[in-house]
Short mmCIF file of all heavy atoms in Angstrom, two decimals:
data_model
loop_
_atom_site.label_atom_id
_atom_site.label_comp_id
_atom_site.label_asym_id
_atom_site.label_seq_id
_atom_site.Cartn_x
_atom_site.Cartn_y
_atom_site.Cartn_z
N ARG A 105 115.76 169.49 113.47
CA ARG A 105 116.57 168.29 113.27
C ARG A 105 117.20 167.86 114.59
O ARG A 105 117.78 168.71 115.30
CB ARG A 105 117.66 168.61 112.25
CG ARG A 105 118.61 167.48 111.93
CD ARG A 105 117.97 166.42 111.11
NE ARG A 105 118.95 165.74 110.27
CZ ARG A 105 118.67 164.63 109.59
NH1 ARG A 105 117.48 164.08 109.67
NH2 ARG A 105 119.58 164.07 108.83
N SER A 106 117.14 166.58 114.92
CA SER A 106 117.83 166.05 116.11
C SER A 106 119.28 165.75 115.77
O SER A 106 119.57 165.19 114.71
CB SER A 106 117.19 164.72 116.55
OG SER A 106 115.95 164.95 117.14
N THR A 107 120.17 166.09 116.69
CA THR A 107 121.60 165.82 116.47
C THR A 107 122.24 165.28 117.75
O THR A 107 121.76 165.58 118.86
CB THR A 107 122.35 167.10 116.03
OG1 THR A 107 122.32 168.03 117.14
CG2 THR A 107 121.72 167.74 114.80
N HIS A 108 123.31 164.52 117.55
CA HIS A 108 124.00 163.90 118.69
C HIS A 108 125.51 164.11 118.62
O HIS A 108 126.26 163.43 119.32
CB HIS A 108 123.68 162.40 118.73
CG HIS A 108 122.24 162.10 118.44
ND1 HIS A 108 121.23 162.43 119.32
CD2 HIS A 108 121.63 161.56 117.36
CE1 HIS A 108 120.06 162.09 118.78
NE2 HIS A 108 120.28 161.56 117.60
N SER A 109 125.95 164.99 117.74
CA SER A 109 127.39 165.26 117.62
C SER A 109 127.57 166.63 116.96
O SER A 109 126.63 167.16 116.34
CB SER A 109 128.08 164.20 116.75
OG SER A 109 127.62 164.31 115.41
N VAL A 110 128.78 167.16 117.06
CA VAL A 110 129.07 168.45 116.40
C VAL A 110 128.92 168.29 114.90
O VAL A 110 128.36 169.17 114.21
CB VAL A 110 130.49 168.94 116.78
CG1 VAL A 110 130.87 170.15 115.94
CG2 VAL A 110 130.57 169.28 118.26
N ALA A 111 129.39 167.16 114.37
CA ALA A 111 129.31 166.95 112.91
C ALA A 111 127.85 166.94 112.44
O ALA A 111 127.52 167.55 111.41
CB ALA A 111 130.00 165.63 112.53
N GLN A 112 126.98 166.29 113.19
CA GLN A 112 125.56 166.26 112.80
C GLN A 112 124.93 167.65 112.90
O GLN A 112 124.11 168.04 112.07
CB GLN A 112 124.79 165.28 113.69
CG GLN A 112 125.10 163.82 113.39
CD GLN A 112 124.41 162.87 114.35
OE1 GLN A 112 123.72 163.29 115.28
NE2 GLN A 112 124.60 161.58 114.13
N ALA A 113 125.32 168.40 113.92
CA ALA A 113 124.79 169.76 114.07
C ALA A 113 125.26 170.65 112.92
O ALA A 113 124.48 171.44 112.36
CB ALA A 113 125.19 170.35 115.42
N ARG A 114 126.54 170.51 112.52
CA ARG A 114 127.05 171.28 111.37
C ARG A 114 126.27 170.94 110.12
O ARG A 114 125.92 171.81 109.32
CB ARG A 114 128.53 170.94 111.13
CG ARG A 114 129.45 171.67 112.05
CD ARG A 114 130.90 171.46 111.63
NE ARG A 114 131.77 172.00 112.67
CZ ARG A 114 132.88 171.44 113.10
NH1 ARG A 114 133.30 170.30 112.59
NH2 ARG A 114 133.59 172.02 114.05
N GLN A 115 126.01 169.65 109.94
CA GLN A 115 125.26 169.20 108.76
C GLN A 115 123.84 169.76 108.78
O GLN A 115 123.33 170.23 107.76
CB GLN A 115 125.23 167.67 108.72
CG GLN A 115 124.69 167.09 107.42
CD GLN A 115 125.56 167.44 106.22
OE1 GLN A 115 126.76 167.19 106.25
NE2 GLN A 115 124.98 168.03 105.19
N ALA A 116 123.20 169.74 109.96
CA ALA A 116 121.84 170.27 110.08
C ALA A 116 121.81 171.74 109.69
O ALA A 116 120.91 172.21 108.99
CB ALA A 116 121.33 170.08 111.51
N LYS A 117 122.83 172.47 110.15
CA LYS A 117 122.92 173.90 109.82
C LYS A 117 123.11 174.07 108.31
O LYS A 117 122.42 174.86 107.67
CB LYS A 117 124.11 174.49 110.58
CG LYS A 117 124.34 175.95 110.32
CD LYS A 117 125.68 176.41 110.87
CE LYS A 117 126.00 177.80 110.38
NZ LYS A 117 127.41 178.14 110.60
N ALA A 118 124.04 173.30 107.74
CA ALA A 118 124.31 173.40 106.30
C ALA A 118 123.07 173.03 105.49
O ALA A 118 122.83 173.57 104.41
CB ALA A 118 125.47 172.48 105.92
N ASP A 119 122.26 172.13 106.02
CA ASP A 119 121.04 171.68 105.33
C ASP A 119 119.87 172.63 105.53
O ASP A 119 118.77 172.38 105.04
CB ASP A 119 120.62 170.30 105.84
CG ASP A 119 121.50 169.19 105.27
OD1 ASP A 119 122.32 169.48 104.40
OD2 ASP A 119 121.33 168.04 105.72
N GLY A 120 120.08 173.69 106.33
CA GLY A 120 119.02 174.69 106.49
C GLY A 120 117.99 174.37 107.54
O GLY A 120 116.85 174.85 107.45
N ALA A 121 118.36 173.58 108.57
CA ALA A 121 117.40 173.34 109.66
C ALA A 121 117.10 174.67 110.36
O ALA A 121 117.99 175.50 110.54
CB ALA A 121 117.99 172.34 110.66
N ASP A 122 115.85 174.86 110.76
CA ASP A 122 115.45 176.12 111.41
C ASP A 122 115.76 176.12 112.89
O ASP A 122 115.87 177.17 113.51
CB ASP A 122 113.96 176.37 111.20
CG ASP A 122 113.63 176.57 109.73
OD1 ASP A 122 114.19 177.50 109.14
OD2 ASP A 122 112.85 175.76 109.17
N TYR A 123 115.80 174.93 113.49
CA TYR A 123 116.31 174.80 114.86
C TYR A 123 116.98 173.44 114.96
O TYR A 123 116.70 172.53 114.16
CB TYR A 123 115.20 174.96 115.92
CG TYR A 123 114.23 173.82 116.02
CD1 TYR A 123 114.49 172.71 116.82
CD2 TYR A 123 113.04 173.84 115.31
CE1 TYR A 123 113.59 171.65 116.89
CE2 TYR A 123 112.14 172.80 115.37
CZ TYR A 123 112.42 171.70 116.17
OH TYR A 123 111.54 170.65 116.24
N ILE A 124 117.87 173.32 115.94
CA ILE A 124 118.64 172.08 116.07
C ILE A 124 118.47 171.57 117.50
O ILE A 124 118.74 172.28 118.46
CB ILE A 124 120.14 172.36 115.76
CG1 ILE A 124 120.28 172.88 114.32
CG2 ILE A 124 120.98 171.10 115.96
CD1 ILE A 124 121.69 173.35 113.96
N ALA A 125 117.98 170.34 117.61
CA ALA A 125 117.87 169.71 118.92
C ALA A 125 119.16 168.93 119.19
O ALA A 125 119.70 168.29 118.28
CB ALA A 125 116.67 168.77 118.96
N VAL A 126 119.63 169.02 120.42
CA VAL A 126 120.88 168.36 120.80
C VAL A 126 120.59 167.47 122.00
O VAL A 126 120.05 167.92 123.01
CB VAL A 126 121.95 169.43 121.17
CG1 VAL A 126 123.25 168.75 121.62
CG2 VAL A 126 122.22 170.36 119.99
#
Side-chain angles (χ1 to χ4, degrees):
R105 179 72 151 170
S106 287
T107 66
H108 318 291
S109 67
V110 171
Q112 288 175 358
R114 279 188 189 140
Q115 190 63 53
K117 179 192 170 194
D119 284 353
D122 296 300
Y123 72 87
I124 300 173
V126 178

